[in-house]
Amino acid sequence: MVGLAIPSATPTNRNVGYLAVLPQHRGHGYVDEILEYITRFHIGDGARRITATTDAVNTPMAAAFDRAGYKLVEVRIDLEPPQMH
């Protein structure tokens, strides 16, 4: 096993859900194959719109979404109060 893929859905969209490549297998293009699998899974089920999210600092995942043709349509910033020690 090189990674994990969990397609998911909401009432309005199909989603990539969760996608991970195990650390020892990163850098070999498996993310593209896994993302293609999830995308084809949703298309095969009739999806017209497929969404995906990642943390802003996860540039490898963002690059994989871009290579697969996903378009950036929204950026979310979660602000948290400073931790008190």
Side-chain angles (χ1 to χ4, degrees):
M1 181 167 83
V2 299
L4 174 69
I6 302 174
S8 65
T10 68
T12 57
N13 292 319
R14 303 298 173 116
N15 304 292
V16 170
Y18 184 79
L19 188 162
V21 176
L22 297 172
Q24 65 269 31
H25 296 293
R26 292 178 185 160
H28 301 286
Y30 296 121
V31 67
D32 296 323
E33 293 177 31
I34 296 169
L35 183 54
E36 180 181 349
Y37 168 81
I38 294 172
T39 304
R40 287 181 186 268
F41 175 87
H42 284 314
I43 290 171
D45 200 34
R48 294 179 184 231
R49 176 182 162 101
I50 305 168
T51 61
T53 60
T54 190
D55 297 328
V57 296
N58 190 345
T59 55
M61 191 69 246
F65 289 144
D66 186 57
R67 287 191 303 274
Y70 284 76
K71 303 297 178 211
L72 177 63
V73 296
E74 183 177 292
V75 175
R76 183 180 76 198
I77 299 172
D78 291 326
L79 301 175
E80 297 180 14
Q83 297 277 333
M84 297 299 217
H85 298 306

